[in-house]
């Protein structure tokens, strides 16, 4: 009774927070509950029945295994529970999503009792989450002449699990709720500081709108006023879901506005409706598809044009917008899924066919993209067994092929990795393609959700076609608190058992690594033709093409080794001119965004596209600074085009770092890391021998746009500014406001500096060390007028800095150095004017553990400037996070303010910054 009593105590604690009982995922607790159900006189029997029926997580959780077996015993008559008839037991099994439930159903369907077998078959015909062990059992029975097996396989061949589902309703009545003006970050929907609770969906739902109870109550009131309508959450005059994929954000929206996925599975809602004036951020839109939701590009505000077609601008040069139609909160609209239009009454407002394409309609019908992916796989299996062609049940994959047109880099990668396409057909942008995935990365604040998704899709082992999977510990590296101690070891054990290489070994066989996941993935991607999927928007490698994804898409890639998506259009970025000696490559990155916006009259041509950056001469460490920032450019992904010699150097660096991981004992039983070393060596040999040179686009490839960056125009450091006081709220907290250092006149107070996150590399740490030595030489001492927090991205970097003497320099000037033998147990809330050498990991950039003091002005090398991410507002003062290069951050903390250009040039004199010289070679085929 102890475990049950503990559960009851937890329930009482949750009541005080306004929460229901936590869903059950453990076998021990459910076994105790079942024993109480069997005892008709047990005082807890009624509650136990309720828990068993309505509060058990499905899939491959250990609780699901216990539940499935008890339901089997009821069906077979071995147990009698008056409240759970055999028919109701079958209904319960139908909602359990595979794994133990499918195993039970197959045993019953292929058993000797014909009546039970027929009932089991009825349920199995509705299921899609069958894995190799299940299909092998079914095929074996079919070949042995089992009639039920034949009936099932014939049903699967016709995809009756999909065709017999109700059609999508023709008209969906919605009522609007404007969640914000301007871009809406996923931090508003699922704040980083609440990352620890993401796997507890009801608890996490309380953080919606950053815990703004007034907004939450307004939403509830709107739902009460319109009980017959769906709520559409809107980013007016902006893009919805910028910043990350964040499945938890979509889960929260669905929890508040969506539809229950099952009466027997609590707090898992689907089918949210989300919209933005400028649409949905690309990777967030993928997440909406996972839940069978709808994401709409409203275009309700448009630029005004003069008679000559030129954009009309205001006194500040900003485009003047006109509201074509209102989506103010409380507006009743209709989505017509047949005409694929948005209406207000009888008035047509917008063609929304891109939100209701045939594949997206299938996701809506099936309740999410997983069911479609697994359904297609199951149909293919069945047809293969029957020896027939696959009937055209699902919408045919769109295949766009343009005769005589060359291929961009991403088109080449997709064509190389595509599966299930027309043999011999060359595909161009716009095609819908299933591709095999080489590398999959899971990070720790979304990893628990990924593990839940894997359990719910009944997956037990990583797909054999994935070269390697990696589970990081970087997002919770700053503070080893009670939440981390409860969550991270459990996550690492699950992922290690599943077959991933994990940052922590469940039994402590190697030093726990908190390396930033993007840096690790950048190393273990050892082929420029690779496809990489990672559970974070900054999964954007300098080798291959990498896509940031929600926790569910990561789970799908781990389980199946595949991902499905359209081939995106590309924007080609090339460079001309010469960098000034005192400039850093980070300034080139920011200037790229600024010059692109200037070239296209403020239109972000990068949004939703692949940025094909002809970087040429920068190795992957340095080039990652560019690809990483493309998340802030709102690009779908990015690809680096390198010279052969540069790619070889990058691959050698990666290979050697993977070997370090092997030497530390991090390889898994399948020796995936060793396989990556071999793959890197093979790719190096291919390039050196001329067998297969570095990936390059064709000279006659077609691009959505081409951008040329003039390095001669970059004459001073560039800073991304959140513009927190802009009168136009829609222009705050975007990454498009890039200002030169002189804009601040050397007078803007800086309260804290941060050097860290995935945007820096070893070179940045060496720049920091050299600047400190120079300042001491010039001024006789190093005195900080603002705190400087430094978080190296990886332990490898720390080790290399120690070997080269630079770490000793940093320690000399620091007031705090991380100690893995005694990690911090509490987040720092106050900072002194000194240097903090923090543990490798995300640190302030993530904002889930440590933050700057409320109201601070932060100068940082990180990626995020969204409201509340790095720093919260204080009474009477907005927190702001300005993003810049390492030298600017260092000097800002020494001075306690932004430096002048003269001060900056003097401080970096003689220091080797990250240099970049455009390639003089042809980077096309």
């Amino acid at each position: 009774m102890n475990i049950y009593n503990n559960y009851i105590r937890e329930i009482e604690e949750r009541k005080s927070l306004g929460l229901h009982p936590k869903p059950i995922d453990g076998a021990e607790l459910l076994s105790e509950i079942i024993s109480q159900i069997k005892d008709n006189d047990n005082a807890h029997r009624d509650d136990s029945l309720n828990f068993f029926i309505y509060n058990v997580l499905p899939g491959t959780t250990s609780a699901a295994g216990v539940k499935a077996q008890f339901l089997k015993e009821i069906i077979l008559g071995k147990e009698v529970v008056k409240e759970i008839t055999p028919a109701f037991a079958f209904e319960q099994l139908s909602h359990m999503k595979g794994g133990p439930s499918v195993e039970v159903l197959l045993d019953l369907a292929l058993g000797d009792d014909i009546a039970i077998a027929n009932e089991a078959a009825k349920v199995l015909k509705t299921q899609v989450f069958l894995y190799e062990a299940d299909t092998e059992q079914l095929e074996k029975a079919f070949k042995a002449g089992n009639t039920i097996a034949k009936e099932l396989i014939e049903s699967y061949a016709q995809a009756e699990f999909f065709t017999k589902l109700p059609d999508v309703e023709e008209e969906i009545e919605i009522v609007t709720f404007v969640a914000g003006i301007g871009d809406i970050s996923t931090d508003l929907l699922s704040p980083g500081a609440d990352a620890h609770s993401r796997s507890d969906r009801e608890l996490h739902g309380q953080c919606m709108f950053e815990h703004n109870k007034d907004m939450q109550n307004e939403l509830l009131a709107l739902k009460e006023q319109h009980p017959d309508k769906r709520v559409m959450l809107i980013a007016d005059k902006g893009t919805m879901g910028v910043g990350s994929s964040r499945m938890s954000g979509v889960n929260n929206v669905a929890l508040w506005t969506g539809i229950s996925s099952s009466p027997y599975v609590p707090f898992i809602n689907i089918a949210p409706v989300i919209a933005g004036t400028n649409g949905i951020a690309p990777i967030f839109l993928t997440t909406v598809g996972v839940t069978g939701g709808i994401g709409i590009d409203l275009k309700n505000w448009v630029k005004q044009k003069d008679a000559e077609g030129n954009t009309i601008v205001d006194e500040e040069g900003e485009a003047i917008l006109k509201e074509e139609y209102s989506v103010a909160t409380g507006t009743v609209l209709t989505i017509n899924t047949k005409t694929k239009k948005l209406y207000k009454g009888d008035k047509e407002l917008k063609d929304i066919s891109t939100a209701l394409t045939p594949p997206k309609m299938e996701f809506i019908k099936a309740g999410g993209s997983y069911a479609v992916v697994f359904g297609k796989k199951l149909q293919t299996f069945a047809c293969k067994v029957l020896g027939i062609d696959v009937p055209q049940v699902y919408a045919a994959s769109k295949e766009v092929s343009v005769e005589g047109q060359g291929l961009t880099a991403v088109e080449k990668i997709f064509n190389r990795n595509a599966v299930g396409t027309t043999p011999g057909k060359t595909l161009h942008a716009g095609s819908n393609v299933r591709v095999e995935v080489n590398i999959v990365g899971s990070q720790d604040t979304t990893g628990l959700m990924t593990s839940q998704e894997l359990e719910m899709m009944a997956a037990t082992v990583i797909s054999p076609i994935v070269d390697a999977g990696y589970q990081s510990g970087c997002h919770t590296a700053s503070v080893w608190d009670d939440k981390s101690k409860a969550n991270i070891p459990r996550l690492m054990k699950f992922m290690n058992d599943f077959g991933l290489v994990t940052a922590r070994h469940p039994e402590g066989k190697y030093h726990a690594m908190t390396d930033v996941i993007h840096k690790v993935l950048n190393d273990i991607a050892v082929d420029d033709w690779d496809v990489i999927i990672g559970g974070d928007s900054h999964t954007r490698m300098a080798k291959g093409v990498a896509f940031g994804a929600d926790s569910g898409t990561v789970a799908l890639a781990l389980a199946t080794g595949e991902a499905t998506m359209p081939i995106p259009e590309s924007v080609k970025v090339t460079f001309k001119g010469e960098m000034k000696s005192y400039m850093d490559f980070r300034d080139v990155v920011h200037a790229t965004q600024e010059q692109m916006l200037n070239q296209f009259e403020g239109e972000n041509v990068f949004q939703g596209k692949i940025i094909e950056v002809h970087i040429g001469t920068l190795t992957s460490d340095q080039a990652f600074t560019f690809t990483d920032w493309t998340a802030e450019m709102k690009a779908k992904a990015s690809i680096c085009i390198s010279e052969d010699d540069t790619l070889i150097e990058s691959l050698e660096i990666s290979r050697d770092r993977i070997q370090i991981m092997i030497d530390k004992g991090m390889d898994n039983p399948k020796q995936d890391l060793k396989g990556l070393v071999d793959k890197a060596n093979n790719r190096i040999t291919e390039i050196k021998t001329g067998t297969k040179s570095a990936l390059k686009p064709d000279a006659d490839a077609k691009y959505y746009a081409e951008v040329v960056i003039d390095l001669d125009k970059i004459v001073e450091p560039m800073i991304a500014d959140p513009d927190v006081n802009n009168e136009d709220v829609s222009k705050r907290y975007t990454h498009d406001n890039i200002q030169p250092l002189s804009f601040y006149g050397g007078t803007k107070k800086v309260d804290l500096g941060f050097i860290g996150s995935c945007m820096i590399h070893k070179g940045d740490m060496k720049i920091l060390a050299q600047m400190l030595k120079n300042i001491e030489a010039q001024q006789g001492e190093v005195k900080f007028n603002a705190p400087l927090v430094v978080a190296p991205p990886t332990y490898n970097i720390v080790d290399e800095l120690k070997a080269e003497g630079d770490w000793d320099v940093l320690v000399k000037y620091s007031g705090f150095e991380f100690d893995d033998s005694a990690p911090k147990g509490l987040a720092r809330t106050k900072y002194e004017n000194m240097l903090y050498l923090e543990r490798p990991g995300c640190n302030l950039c993530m904002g889930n553990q440590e933050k700057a003091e409320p109201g601070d002005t932060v100068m940082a090398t990180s990626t995020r400037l969204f409201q509340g991410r790095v720093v919260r507002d204080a009474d009477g003062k907005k927190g702001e996070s300005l993003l810049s290069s390492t030298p600017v951050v260092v000097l800002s903390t020494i001075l306690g303010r932004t430096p002048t250009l003269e001060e900056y040039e003097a401080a970096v004199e003689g220091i080797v910054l990250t240099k970049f010289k455009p390639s003089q070679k042809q980077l096309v085929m």
Side-chain angles (χ1 to χ4, degrees):
M1 281 286 290
N2 278 341
I3 191 166
Y4 183 79
N5 288 337
N6 290 339
Y7 186 53
I8 297 302
R9 277 195 293 272
E10 181 190 68
I11 289 172
E12 291 304 314
E13 291 168 2
R14 289 173 70 87
K15 276 184 184 177
S16 66
L17 299 173
L19 299 173
H20 295 85
K22 192 173 181 179
I24 297 166
D25 61 3
E28 187 179 357
L29 173 59
L30 195 64
S31 296
E32 182 64 34
I33 285 170
I34 289 171
S35 70
Q36 293 173 175
I37 292 172
K38 292 178 180 179
D39 179 2
N40 288 324
D41 297 323
N42 192 285
H44 303 288
R45 188 174 183 278
D46 288 346
D47 286 341
S48 294
L49 269 167
N50 189 64
F51 294 146
F52 179 84
I53 295 169
Y54 298 105
N55 211 45
V56 177
L57 288 179
T60 56
T61 64
S62 59
V66 171
K67 180 172 181 175
Q69 285 301 316
F70 188 52
L71 292 172
K72 181 180 182 182
E73 290 172 359
I74 290 173
I75 291 167
L76 292 173
K78 295 180 180 179
E79 293 286 351
V80 177
V81 178
K82 62 180 180 179
E83 295 87 352
I84 305 176
T85 63
F88 189 37
F90 273 123
E91 183 180 350
Q92 288 268 293
L93 286 167
S94 74
H95 287 259
M96 290 181 64
K97 282 194 169 182
S101 61
V102 164
E103 183 181 343
V104 163
L105 286 166
L106 280 171
D107 286 347
L108 295 172
L110 303 178
D112 297 329
D113 190 311
I114 298 301
I116 289 176
N118 284 325
E119 291 302 313
K122 285 180 186 177
V123 177
L124 277 170
K125 288 176 185 178
T126 68
Q127 303 297 298
V128 294
F129 293 103
L130 276 70
Y131 284 84
E132 281 72 16
D134 305 317
T135 54
E136 284 171 8
Q137 183 182 358
L138 197 55
E139 183 177 4
K140 183 178 179 181
F142 168 78
K143 289 178 177 178
N146 185 288
T147 56
I148 292 289
K150 181 175 183 292
E151 182 184 327
L152 284 169
I153 290 176
E154 288 174 345
S155 175
Y156 292 154
Q158 298 302 318
E160 290 181 345
F161 44 73
F162 177 75
T163 60
K164 292 191 174 183
L165 291 172
D167 289 333
V168 178
E169 26 183 350
E170 183 175 330
E171 291 190 341
I172 300 173
E173 294 288 317
I174 57 174
V175 59
T176 62
F177 184 87
V178 176
I181 306 299
D183 289 352
I184 289 183
S185 157
T186 46
D187 268 2
L188 178 75
L189 310 175
S190 168
D194 292 86
H196 64 278
S197 65
R198 287 177 183 166
S199 58
D200 185 346
R201 294 195 184 200
E202 188 192 17
L203 173 60
H204 194 69
Q206 293 195 332
C207 73
M208 180 78 158
F209 305 136
E210 291 187 320
H211 296 273
N212 187 324
K213 297 301 180 186
D214 291 338
M215 282 185 70
Q216 291 176 3
N217 290 332
E218 186 183 353
L219 178 56
L220 291 174
L222 187 70
K223 289 174 64 177
E224 195 171 319
Q225 292 168 25
H226 301 273
D228 57 334
K229 299 177 182 66
R230 307 259 291 277
V231 174
M232 179 166 74
L233 209 67
I234 295 173
D236 200 15
K237 297 179 77 175
T239 302
M240 174 65 79
V242 300
S244 73
S245 51
R246 203 159 292 186
M247 187 80 205
S248 54
V250 171
N251 284 345
N252 275 353
V253 176
L255 189 65
W256 284 84
T257 69
I259 300 166
S260 174
S261 65
S262 166
Y264 309 116
V265 182
F267 316 121
I268 298 179
N269 283 12
I270 58 173
V273 184
I274 301 173
T277 291
N278 300 321
I280 318 295
I283 53 177
F284 197 62
L285 186 57
T286 301
T287 317
V288 174
V290 168
T291 62
I294 301 173
I296 297 176
D297 188 359
L298 293 170
K299 291 289 185 287
N300 57 312
W301 291 88
V302 298
K303 293 178 184 177
Q304 297 302 287
K305 304 284 186 177
D306 60 20
E308 285 74 41
N310 299 313
T311 301
I312 302 173
V313 298
D314 59 21
E315 294 177 356
E316 296 180 356
E318 299 285 350
I320 294 176
L321 303 177
K322 178 184 176 183
E323 188 177 39
E324 294 287 284
Y325 59 94
S326 174
V327 291
T329 295
T331 304
V332 175
L333 303 173
T334 302
I335 294 171
N336 189 300
T337 61
K338 187 174 182 180
T339 65
K340 302 188 188 307
K341 303 283 178 63
L342 181 68
Y343 297 91
K344 183 175 183 182
D346 295 331
K347 182 182 179 184
E348 179 186 322
L349 300 179
K350 180 79 173 57
D351 182 300
I352 56 171
S353 55
T354 56
L356 299 169
T357 61
K360 289 178 181 178
M361 289 291 287
E362 290 173 347
F363 295 166
I364 296 168
K365 178 176 179 175
S369 58
Y370 298 167
V372 173
V373 172
F374 276 85
K376 289 179 179 179
K377 184 178 178 182
L378 186 56
Q379 186 191 26
T380 302
F381 150 77
C383 291
K384 184 178 178 181
V385 171
L386 294 173
I388 63 173
D389 292 334
V390 178
Q392 194 67 55
V393 170
Y394 294 100
S397 292
K398 185 179 179 182
E399 294 187 346
V400 177
S401 185
V402 184
E403 187 73 26
Q405 180 179 303
L407 297 173
T408 64
V410 73
E411 288 169 340
K412 287 190 173 185
I413 292 176
F414 270 64
N415 275 278
R416 204 284 291 269
N417 294 283
V419 291
T421 56
T422 302
K425 192 171 186 178
T426 299
L427 302 180
H428 289 88
S431 302
N432 284 314
V433 183
R434 280 166 55 215
V435 289
E436 291 188 350
V437 176
N438 303 96
I439 301 292
V440 184
S442 170
Q443 53 100 330
D444 37 327
T445 55
T446 61
L448 285 171
M449 293 174 61
T450 298
S451 66
Q452 280 187 340
E453 299 284 351
L454 288 167
E455 287 178 325
M456 285 192 278
M457 63 176 69
T460 57
V461 65
I462 191 171
S463 168
I465 67 173
V466 174
D467 288 339
Y470 180 75
Q471 173 61 58
S472 83
C474 56
H475 285 63
T476 52
S478 304
V479 183
W480 192 236
D481 54 16
D482 290 341
K483 295 170 185 174
S484 298
K485 291 173 185 175
N487 289 332
I488 302 306
R490 179 161 53 99
L491 169 63
M492 294 295 172
K493 183 177 189 322
F494 179 96
M495 291 301 191
N496 199 277
D497 290 345
F498 198 83
L500 281 73
V501 175
T502 52
R504 287 176 178 269
H505 190 274
E507 297 170 10
K509 291 184 178 178
Y510 48 80
H511 187 283
M513 308 298 284
T514 55
D515 295 355
V516 174
I517 184 172
H518 321 301
K519 293 296 189 184
V520 177
L521 296 185
N522 199 42
D523 285 338
I524 68 176
V526 290
D527 194 328
D528 44 328
W529 293 78
D530 275 355
V531 176
I532 303 104
I533 297 290
D536 192 288
S537 59
H538 290 100
T539 305
R540 292 160 186 267
M541 306 304 102
K543 300 184 290 293
V545 63
F547 297 95
D550 59 276
S551 55
T553 301
V554 170
L556 201 60
L558 286 170
T560 67
E562 294 182 5
T564 304
M565 66 187 85
I567 302 178
E569 292 180 289
S570 295
V571 176
K572 184 178 182 179
V573 176
T574 55
F575 303 87
K576 67 178 182 179
E578 188 174 340
M579 274 184 73
K580 304 292 183 289
S581 61
Y582 53 86
M583 301 303 293
D584 187 77
F585 186 66
R586 176 72 183 250
D587 302 313
V588 175
V589 172
H590 287 179
T592 297
Q593 194 155 342
E594 181 205 38
Q595 291 189 25
M596 175 273 295
L597 291 169
N598 288 338
Q599 288 175 37
F600 291 90
E601 295 187 326
E603 178 192 353
N604 183 357
V605 297
F606 291 150
Q607 183 163 343
K609 308 297 188 291
I610 300 291
I611 299 180
E612 185 183 282
V613 52
H614 288 232
I615 211 87
T617 56
L618 279 184
T619 59
S620 59
D621 273 2
Q622 289 77 26
F624 182 74
T625 304
F626 192 105
T627 58
D628 197 26
W629 184 256
T630 60
E632 274 51 69
M633 296 176 184
K634 299 181 184 177
K636 177 77 173 176
S638 58
I639 290 181
C640 286
I641 308 301
S642 292
E643 295 179 359
D644 285 359
D645 289 344
T646 304
L647 180 57
I648 289 170
E649 186 179 350
S650 294
L651 290 169
E652 289 173 341
I653 292 169
S654 287
R655 176 198 61 196
D656 295 346
R657 287 180 180 161
I658 296 169
Q659 186 60 52
I660 291 171
M661 295 172 72
I662 295 171
D663 293 343
K664 288 179 177 178
M666 295 182 70
D667 210 351
N668 58 12
K670 291 194 304 172
Q671 293 190 300
D672 283 341
L673 293 180
K674 182 181 182 301
L676 292 176
V677 169
D678 294 339
K679 185 176 178 179
N681 283 327
N682 290 338
R683 186 70 186 104
I684 291 167
T685 299
E686 286 179 339
I687 301 169
K688 285 183 174 179
T689 59
T691 306
K692 187 178 181 182
S693 63
L695 171 67
K696 296 179 181 67
D698 291 330
D700 56 347
K702 183 181 178 182
Y703 295 92
Y704 176 79
E706 296 192 30
V707 180
V708 180
I709 303 305
D710 190 346
L711 301 177
D712 290 331
K713 291 182 178 180
I714 310 172
V715 296
E716 55 181 307
M718 309 296 286
I719 296 173
D721 189 319
D723 202 8
V724 298
N725 295 309
N726 194 310
E727 291 183 4
D728 185 343
V729 177
S730 70
K731 291 185 171 63
R732 298 177 188 172
Y733 304 106
T734 78
H735 288 80
D736 294 341
N737 181 39
I738 309 293
Q739 299 291 353
L741 183 63
S742 58
F743 174 81
Y744 305 95
T747 61
K748 186 174 182 66
K749 186 174 184 293
V750 173
D751 300 299
L752 183 141
F754 173 57
I755 294 174
S757 86
C758 43
M759 285 295 286
I760 69 166
H761 52 85
K762 178 183 171 183
D764 290 273
M765 301 295 292
K766 294 183 78 70
I767 289 168
L768 166 61
Q770 187 59 52
M771 285 190 73
L772 295 176
K773 287 192 287 186
N774 284 6
I775 289 166
E776 183 177 49
Q778 294 165 7
Q779 301 179 11
E781 64 173 342
V782 174
K783 182 181 179 183
F784 290 95
N785 281 291
L788 176 58
V789 178
V790 176
T794 68
Y795 279 89
N796 279 352
I797 288 175
V798 174
D799 292 342
E800 290 171 23
L801 292 172
K802 286 179 177 178
E804 295 164 15
D806 292 289
W807 189 259
D808 289 338
V809 175
L810 299 180
V811 171
K812 173 184 175 182
Y813 298 113
S814 71
F816 171 86
E817 180 185 6
F818 76 91
D819 180 0
D820 279 338
S821 66
K824 284 184 298 182
L826 293 172
R828 186 176 285 113
T829 56
K830 296 287 184 183
Y831 298 84
E832 298 176 36
N833 290 345
M834 65 182 195
L835 171 63
Y836 294 83
L837 284 177
E838 297 285 356
R839 194 182 200 180
C842 300
N843 203 275
L844 286 169
C845 187
M846 178 57 195
N848 64 319
Q849 293 181 323
E850 298 204 290
K851 289 183 179 289
E853 294 185 42
D856 271 1
T857 292
V858 180
M859 187 71 76
T861 62
S862 58
T863 58
R864 299 303 199 207
L865 49 67
F866 303 122
Q867 185 174 20
R869 179 63 175 252
V870 172
V871 55
R872 294 189 180 94
D873 294 341
D875 292 339
K877 187 177 186 301
K878 289 183 177 294
E880 53 185 333
S881 179
L882 287 77
L883 308 180
S884 61
S885 67
T886 292
V888 171
V889 175
V890 176
L891 197 53
S892 295
T893 56
I894 294 295
L895 299 172
R897 58 172 172 79
T898 53
T900 64
L901 183 57
E902 293 73 23
E903 288 171 326
Y904 171 84
E905 286 188 54
V908 298
E909 187 174 357
I911 295 177
V912 179
L913 303 175
T914 306
K915 297 301 177 192
F916 172 60
K917 187 175 182 180
S919 176
Q920 301 302 304
K921 298 180 180 180
Q922 284 290 320
L923 296 181
V924 295
M925 298 292 285

